[in-house]
Amino acid sequence: MSVPSLQRLSITKECATYGSDEPRLEISTPCLKYLKIFECRGYYNFLEDMPKLVEADVSVDMSKNEKLLRVLSSVEHLVICLYPSIVLDLTDSLIFNRLLHLELNTYPEYTEDQLYCLGSEPSSVPKCLSFHLESIQWRGYAGTLDEREAAAYILKNAHRLKTSTIRLHRTCMDNGQIIMKDLTSMSKASASCQLVIV
């Protein structure tokens, strides 16, 4: 698909319509400003950067679409589904100079090959996290070790953070009070950050 003037792109496929097909799409849209992909089985190859991209809402299999993160680096508003262990890679391996709002939807149900812990924090704190990020929403937080380390890292280093909303995963409601206490005890770089846990 090559549409040089395209500014909005939405790719959606409902789970109920899945067959055995895995869509493969090469995309060339250098003027794109808004991107939404809700399609967990496809492969998407973006042939060039999208420096005008402002907002992205992405729910894909990141193991098949590793290069997708590169084209998201100019966004101001990012909604993305990730395994918690990838959260630090998201901020360390890429430069998100304009990122103001980050919404994470995490997958708490792991298979054995996805159960790996964060090795260490990134060697340096990305500027987007230290000086730009103003709000974060985290959906599906279950209090796993990976999630806890990622949350602690973000709160400890986000100096401009104004709001941090963490929505607990439905499976951890029995331990909700313990998880809430743990989150509220984490040190925060921003004294004005309002932490909301629901």
Side-chain angles (χ1 to χ4, degrees), residues 53-65:
L53 193 63
V54 175
E55 189 171 323
D57 185 344
V58 180
S59 180
V60 299
D61 182 342
M62 293 306 290
S63 67
K64 298 177 185 176
N65 295 281

Side-chain angles (χ1 to χ4, degrees), residues 108-109 139-142 167-175 198:
E109 295 90 8
R139 295 184 185 188
Y141 185 91
R167 298 181 187 281
L168 302 183
H169 192 270
R170 65 184 180 280
T171 60
C172 68
M173 290 306 174
D174 290 343
N175 298 322
V198 290

Side-chain angles (χ1 to χ4, degrees), residues 112-180:
E112 283 190 25
D113 62 333
Q114 291 154 348
L115 279 171
Y116 57 94
C117 294
L118 298 167
S120 61
E121 290 186 359
S123 56
S124 62
V125 180
K127 289 183 180 179
C128 70
L129 180 60
S130 292
F131 303 112
H132 299 288
L133 190 66
E134 294 182 355
S135 68
I136 182 169
Q137 288 190 45
W138 190 322
R139 295 184 185 188
Y141 185 91
T144 66
L145 178 60
D146 282 352
E147 289 175 318
R148 188 189 185 285
E149 290 184 14
Y153 177 78
I154 291 170
L155 292 172
K156 182 175 73 175
N157 293 293
H159 294 274
R160 299 277 306 274
L161 199 60
K162 295 176 182 175
T163 59
S164 179
T165 303
I166 299 177
R167 298 181 187 281
L168 302 183
H169 192 270
R170 65 184 180 280
T171 60
C172 68
M173 290 306 174
D174 290 343
N175 298 322
Q177 293 297 324
I178 296 170
I179 293 172
M180 291 169 109

Side-chain angles (χ1 to χ4, degrees), residues 20-82:
S20 60
D21 64 318
E22 292 186 344
R24 295 173 185 263
L25 188 60
E26 289 193 338
I27 301 170
S28 176
T29 54
C31 291
L32 203 67
K33 292 183 179 179
Y34 303 94
L35 173 66
K36 180 174 183 176
I37 303 178
F38 182 77
E39 208 291 295
C40 297
R41 296 184 69 173
Y43 295 80
Y44 301 95
N45 182 21
F46 288 85
L47 301 176
E48 53 194 308
D49 289 340
M50 297 182 293
K52 297 181 180 181
L53 193 63
V54 175
E55 189 171 323
D57 185 344
V58 180
S59 180
V60 299
D61 182 342
M62 293 306 290
S63 67
K64 298 177 185 176
N65 295 281
E66 297 167 348
K67 294 180 181 176
L68 178 59
L69 290 176
R70 177 181 52 82
V71 299
L72 299 177
S73 62
S74 67
V75 298
E76 295 177 8
H77 184 110
L78 177 61
V79 179
I80 192 165
C81 293
L82 295 173

